[in-house]
Amino acid sequence: MDQYTQILTMMSDVLAPDDDQYEEKLLAIAATFRSFSQALTSFLCANGFNGDASNIDEKVCYLKAKFKGAEIPAPRDIKKWFSEDKGIGPDTAYQICFAFNLGVEGTRDFFRRVYFERAFDCHSITEAVYYYCMRNALSYSDALDIIGQMPKAKTTAIKTDKEILYTGTIVEFIDGVKTPAELIAYVNDHIEQFGYNNATATKHIQQLWAALACNEGLAYREGKLLDKAFNYDTGEDPEKDDLYTIVGEEADSIWRIFAQIVGLDRRQTTQLGTNRTLKPLLENNALLPSLAEDSFPDRNGIELIIKGKHVSHERIRKTLILLEFYTYWANAIVTHNNALWEATDIDAERCIDKINRYLIEAGYPELYPGNPYDWIFMWAVKDIWPLVTFRDHMRALYAHKSSEQAGM
């Protein structure tokens, strides 16, 4: 573990929702996460840059030299990566990896630590070609030449009534490919199945959701215990009471189930229910870094995934993490018939291991404490009540946003 992630881990060890200075500590942690420009600077320093890390022009010159050496046209806005913290797209991220000759594992590490995205979605024809070229020490120009010979795939939904071509199967085939012609022929033969992505993760999320959202499903059973432990009748209007949202016995709406998972109270569920999204409380929230806010799970994303629609890698990954986290602890609570059952360090390790296992199986990077979204869950499992801690965190985001708006 590097110094950066060590600091974040140490800060998480001393943070608890019942701290008197909880919000102040959370603000300090949010400010500690690296921006893209900071992560890229750290990458450059670890990969041959010996200049002044604070000098933008020196870093730009170094990157341009790397692009030139790899015969890759340098992006026009490199300087803005540092001066304006301007992000990049996946193609540019791959160009950087080709320029630094990172290879397959180095590229995966770059995407995990710097770009905070998934590398090599081989259901994308372009990324399948990148994977093939990096695996066989071919250049970026070689990759462009092969891509130019590929057919165009049309975006489609995953059709469960037809054979699904999983990413792992594609990768296994590419690992045995000897020539570009073999790869081109394979894509032509399976072009219809290159129109969707994230098949493994989509199937797993659909299975998780079906188990927790069905009649008397996991959400209902956990909700009964949650209601017993935390909700109480004040005799006032229930919509004004600070009570957790609890789903009904019969299959409830995606929005209400999601509201229970993230710990919204009844008033919050009603207020946000018009558009059925958390965006108003997450957007530009000082307690939540933008990298965690981006593609944060929501009702619409879950609905699209359930229907097998095309969804971004990050949206899928974050939803998978949330639902695996919830399912693990909700099952434990139901098994012990106690919403205040106390977890141990071993339980926490098993939860993280389980999430990582499914992430790897679906082709995503493991949880990384330097990723502000991942950090939330890696921090929450350290508490004896992980679900309570996670929900308290979400409520803190809501309270902070509300106080900001009230002070405007």
Side-chain angles (χ1 to χ4, degrees):
M1 186 181 293
D2 58 27
Q3 185 178 15
Y4 168 60
T5 51
Q6 281 182 336
I7 291 172
L8 286 167
T9 301
M10 289 171 58
M11 294 177 80
S12 71
D13 289 339
V14 296
L15 178 71
D18 58 355
D19 286 347
D20 291 336
Q21 296 180 317
Y22 175 69
E23 186 168 312
E24 290 81 357
K25 289 181 179 179
L26 202 54
L27 282 167
I29 291 171
T32 302
F33 286 101
R34 286 174 178 165
S35 64
F36 169 68
S37 64
Q38 292 170 329
L40 183 59
T41 296
S42 179
F43 167 79
L44 295 180
C45 292
N47 287 271
F49 177 70
N50 296 315
D52 181 358
S54 65
N55 190 305
I56 292 176
D57 290 334
E58 287 188 30
K59 291 185 287 189
V60 171
C61 286
Y62 182 70
L63 276 165
K64 286 184 175 179
K66 281 291 187 179
F67 282 119
K68 184 177 181 180
E71 298 183 343
I72 300 172
R76 290 180 297 177
D77 55 356
I78 294 180
K79 191 168 187 176
K80 292 182 179 179
W81 298 352
F82 302 102
S83 63
E84 300 177 14
D85 198 28
K86 183 177 180 180
I88 60 175
D91 282 338
T92 303
Y94 281 111
Q95 287 172 354
I96 293 172
C97 294
F98 272 107
F100 280 83
N101 195 29
L102 297 184
V104 169
E105 292 308 316
T107 297
R108 285 181 173 142
D109 191 63
F110 178 88
F111 270 66
R112 180 181 184 228
R113 297 173 182 270
V114 181
Y115 187 54
F116 295 111
E117 261 279 14
R118 171 191 186 178
F120 302 122
D121 172 17
C122 288
H123 256 111
S124 159
I125 294 173
T126 296
E127 295 193 33
V129 173
Y130 289 158
Y131 176 77
Y132 168 77
C133 288
M134 288 188 178
R135 194 176 187 283
N136 291 279
L138 299 179
S139 68
Y140 181 70
S141 59
D142 291 327
L144 293 183
D145 180 61
I146 297 170
I147 291 168
Q149 301 176 60
M150 288 290 186
K152 303 297 182 184
K154 294 182 180 179
T155 300
T156 61
I158 298 174
K159 298 177 181 178
T160 55
D161 59 335
K162 293 187 177 181
E163 182 180 0
I164 296 175
L165 181 63
Y166 292 103
T167 303
T169 303
I170 300 173
V171 171
E172 185 177 348
F173 177 82
I174 296 176
D175 286 344
V177 166
K178 298 294 189 294
T179 66
E182 288 182 61
L183 180 59
I184 295 168
Y186 180 80
V187 172
N188 273 296
D189 289 343
H190 298 84
I191 189 60
E192 290 186 3
Q193 293 165 302
F194 275 89
Y196 53 78
N197 66 346
N198 302 303
T200 301
T202 295
K203 181 179 179 181
H204 185 61
I205 290 172
Q206 289 170 342
Q207 291 171 340
L208 289 174
W209 190 261
L212 67 88
C214 62
N215 290 348
E216 298 188 23
L218 180 61
Y220 165 70
R221 287 177 285 141
E222 188 266 334
K224 283 202 306 179
L225 296 170
L226 180 68
D227 189 50
K228 180 181 178 182
F230 294 99
N231 289 349
Y232 53 90
D233 184 6
T234 64
E236 300 177 5
D237 183 349
E239 295 298 335
K240 295 181 180 179
D241 293 344
D242 189 25
L243 308 179
Y244 280 112
T245 297
I246 304 298
V247 302
E249 182 174 355
E250 297 182 357
D252 215 324
S253 69
I254 293 176
W255 169 243
R256 284 187 59 81
I257 295 170
F258 178 71
Q260 177 180 311
I261 290 173
V262 299
L264 297 184
D265 65 37
R266 295 177 182 179
R267 179 172 45 186
Q268 294 163 350
T269 299
T270 300
Q271 289 176 340
L272 296 169
T274 302
N275 297 314
R276 294 174 293 177
T277 176
L278 296 182
K279 191 169 184 178
L281 76 88
L282 300 179
E283 193 170 30
N284 298 319
N285 193 316
L287 298 183
L288 187 72
S290 59
L291 284 169
E293 174 201 335
D294 182 47
S295 300
F296 199 97
D298 59 7
R299 188 274 316 170
N300 182 56
I302 292 171
E303 185 174 16
L304 290 172
I305 295 168
I306 291 172
K307 293 179 178 179
K309 300 292 186 180
H310 197 282
V311 180
S312 72
H313 305 322
E314 192 63 7
R315 208 172 187 184
I316 286 270
R317 182 180 183 273
K318 287 180 175 177
T319 301
L320 176 60
I321 291 170
L322 172 65
L323 295 186
E324 267 297 339
F325 172 85
Y326 172 75
T327 298
Y328 183 90
W329 296 113
N331 270 319
I333 286 169
V334 169
T335 298
H336 292 86
N337 196 34
N338 183 4
L340 291 174
W341 164 77
E342 296 184 0
T344 66
D345 291 343
I346 294 176
D347 296 311
E349 290 174 8
R350 287 174 177 168
C351 177
I352 295 299
D353 287 346
K354 192 166 184 281
I355 293 173
N356 281 334
R357 184 169 77 250
Y358 282 113
L359 286 173
I360 293 170
E361 183 179 305
Y364 296 108
E366 295 181 7
L367 293 172
Y368 172 53
N371 182 321
Y373 180 81
D374 296 6
W375 180 91
I376 294 171
F377 298 93
M378 299 180 81
W379 160 69
V381 299
K382 294 181 179 181
D383 196 274
I384 58 173
W385 299 320
L387 258 184
V388 173
T389 298
F390 171 72
R391 286 165 169 159
D392 283 348
H393 176 74
M394 297 302 297
R395 289 191 176 210
L397 296 179
Y398 190 98
H400 183 79
K401 192 68 172 182
S402 297
S403 65
E404 281 185 337
Q405 292 172 340
M408 292 176 64

Tab-separated table of all heavy atoms in Angstrom, residues 4 36 51 66 119 127 153 180 194 197 202 224 249 291 339 368 408:
chain	number	residue	atom	x	y	z
A	4	TYR	N	-0.167	7.367	-0.061
A	4	TYR	CA	-1.458	8.010	-0.300
A	4	TYR	C	-2.605	7.182	0.275
A	4	TYR	O	-3.447	7.690	1.029
A	4	TYR	CB	-1.625	8.213	-1.805
A	4	TYR	CG	-3.002	8.596	-2.261
A	4	TYR	CD1	-3.617	9.758	-1.818
A	4	TYR	CD2	-3.688	7.796	-3.176
A	4	TYR	CE1	-4.885	10.111	-2.260
A	4	TYR	CE2	-4.953	8.148	-3.630
A	4	TYR	CZ	-5.547	9.304	-3.167
A	4	TYR	OH	-6.791	9.650	-3.610
A	36	PHE	N	-7.781	14.155	-10.776
A	36	PHE	CA	-7.129	13.499	-11.907
A	36	PHE	C	-5.724	14.049	-12.127
A	36	PHE	O	-4.778	13.292	-12.360
A	36	PHE	CB	-7.964	13.658	-13.181
A	36	PHE	CG	-7.239	13.228	-14.428
A	36	PHE	CD1	-6.930	11.892	-14.632
A	36	PHE	CD2	-6.836	14.162	-15.376
A	36	PHE	CE1	-6.234	11.487	-15.772
A	36	PHE	CE2	-6.148	13.766	-16.513
A	36	PHE	CZ	-5.849	12.424	-16.711
A	51	GLY	N	11.465	15.938	-13.398
A	51	GLY	CA	11.407	17.387	-13.307
A	51	GLY	C	10.676	17.861	-12.069
A	51	GLY	O	10.458	17.111	-11.109
A	66	LYS	N	6.748	11.659	-24.752
A	66	LYS	CA	6.326	10.259	-24.694
A	66	LYS	C	5.407	9.917	-25.872
A	66	LYS	O	5.546	8.864	-26.509
A	66	LYS	CB	5.621	9.972	-23.369
A	66	LYS	CG	6.553	9.766	-22.201
A	66	LYS	CD	7.330	8.450	-22.372
A	66	LYS	CE	8.145	8.106	-21.174
A	66	LYS	NZ	8.870	6.804	-21.352
A	119	ALA	N	-10.564	-1.086	-17.278
A	119	ALA	CA	-9.779	-1.256	-18.500
A	119	ALA	C	-10.223	-2.517	-19.231
A	119	ALA	O	-10.649	-3.491	-18.610
A	119	ALA	CB	-8.290	-1.351	-18.172
A	127	GLU	N	-11.635	-1.766	-27.605
A	127	GLU	CA	-10.863	-2.171	-26.437
A	127	GLU	C	-10.365	-3.605	-26.561
A	127	GLU	O	-9.314	-3.953	-26.007
A	127	GLU	CB	-11.695	-1.968	-25.170
A	127	GLU	CG	-12.010	-0.495	-24.919
A	127	GLU	CD	-12.565	-0.219	-23.539
A	127	GLU	OE1	-12.181	-0.921	-22.578
A	127	GLU	OE2	-13.387	0.711	-23.413
A	153	ALA	N	-20.316	-2.362	-34.746
A	153	ALA	CA	-21.354	-3.026	-33.945
A	153	ALA	C	-22.454	-2.038	-33.588
A	153	ALA	O	-22.182	-0.856	-33.351
A	153	ALA	CB	-20.746	-3.609	-32.671
A	180	PRO	N	-3.752	-10.796	-36.340
A	180	PRO	CA	-4.888	-9.870	-36.397
A	180	PRO	C	-6.041	-10.433	-37.233
A	180	PRO	O	-7.209	-10.181	-36.927
A	180	PRO	CB	-4.288	-8.620	-37.037
A	180	PRO	CG	-2.837	-8.668	-36.672
A	180	PRO	CD	-2.487	-10.122	-36.725
A	194	PHE	N	-21.383	-8.173	-29.963
A	194	PHE	CA	-20.513	-7.077	-29.558
A	194	PHE	C	-21.312	-5.791	-29.383
A	194	PHE	O	-20.743	-4.723	-29.200
A	194	PHE	CB	-19.384	-6.870	-30.579
A	194	PHE	CG	-18.206	-7.769	-30.353
A	194	PHE	CD1	-18.156	-9.022	-30.943
A	194	PHE	CD2	-17.147	-7.377	-29.550
A	194	PHE	CE1	-17.072	-9.872	-30.737
A	194	PHE	CE2	-16.062	-8.212	-29.334
A	194	PHE	CZ	-16.019	-9.462	-29.924
A	197	ASN	N	-22.639	-4.783	-23.432
A	197	ASN	CA	-21.458	-4.873	-22.582
A	197	ASN	C	-21.838	-5.302	-21.171
A	197	ASN	O	-23.011	-5.409	-20.839
A	197	ASN	CB	-20.713	-3.531	-22.539
A	197	ASN	CG	-21.543	-2.441	-21.849
A	197	ASN	OD1	-22.735	-2.577	-21.629
A	197	ASN	ND2	-20.898	-1.329	-21.525
A	202	THR	N	-24.058	-7.570	-15.309
A	202	THR	CA	-25.492	-7.345	-15.465
A	202	THR	C	-26.283	-8.540	-14.939
A	202	THR	O	-27.255	-8.383	-14.187
A	202	THR	CB	-25.843	-7.100	-16.939
A	202	THR	OG1	-25.229	-5.886	-17.372
A	202	THR	CG2	-27.343	-6.995	-17.146
A	224	LYS	N	-38.128	-5.174	8.057
A	224	LYS	CA	-38.911	-5.441	9.275
A	224	LYS	C	-38.039	-5.275	10.517
A	224	LYS	O	-38.474	-4.705	11.521
A	224	LYS	CB	-39.475	-6.868	9.232
A	224	LYS	CG	-40.669	-7.054	8.328
A	224	LYS	CD	-41.493	-8.290	8.715
A	224	LYS	CE	-40.650	-9.540	8.766
A	224	LYS	NZ	-41.460	-10.736	9.158
A	249	GLU	N	-44.543	-5.680	2.140
A	249	GLU	CA	-44.380	-7.134	2.061
A	249	GLU	C	-44.358	-7.622	0.618
A	249	GLU	O	-43.609	-8.521	0.259
A	249	GLU	CB	-45.518	-7.818	2.824
A	249	GLU	CG	-45.423	-9.338	2.863
A	249	GLU	CD	-46.483	-9.950	3.751
A	249	GLU	OE1	-47.232	-9.190	4.404
A	249	GLU	OE2	-46.563	-11.182	3.801
A	291	LEU	N	-15.570	12.358	-8.001
A	291	LEU	CA	-15.351	11.020	-8.546
A	291	LEU	C	-16.302	9.995	-7.923
A	291	LEU	O	-16.641	8.996	-8.555
A	291	LEU	CB	-13.897	10.589	-8.319
A	291	LEU	CG	-12.855	11.226	-9.238
A	291	LEU	CD1	-11.446	10.922	-8.736
A	291	LEU	CD2	-13.020	10.735	-10.669
A	339	ALA	N	-31.305	-6.264	13.757
A	339	ALA	CA	-30.748	-5.162	12.975
A	339	ALA	C	-29.515	-4.566	13.635
A	339	ALA	O	-28.727	-3.874	12.980
A	339	ALA	CB	-31.801	-4.074	12.768
A	368	TYR	N	-10.518	-0.074	-4.196
A	368	TYR	CA	-9.269	0.670	-4.036
A	368	TYR	C	-9.535	1.858	-3.111
A	368	TYR	O	-10.397	2.697	-3.412
A	368	TYR	CB	-8.789	1.156	-5.406
A	368	TYR	CG	-7.616	2.106	-5.386
A	368	TYR	CD1	-6.445	1.777	-4.710
A	368	TYR	CD2	-7.674	3.324	-6.063
A	368	TYR	CE1	-5.362	2.641	-4.703
A	368	TYR	CE2	-6.587	4.190	-6.067
A	368	TYR	CZ	-5.443	3.852	-5.386
A	368	TYR	OH	-4.368	4.707	-5.384
A	408	MET	N	-28.132	29.642	1.688
A	408	MET	CA	-27.970	30.414	0.459
A	408	MET	C	-28.854	31.659	0.463
A	408	MET	O	-29.931	31.680	1.023
A	408	MET	CB	-28.320	29.543	-0.753
A	408	MET	CG	-27.311	28.417	-0.982
A	408	MET	SD	-27.765	27.314	-2.351
A	408	MET	CE	-27.699	28.460	-3.731
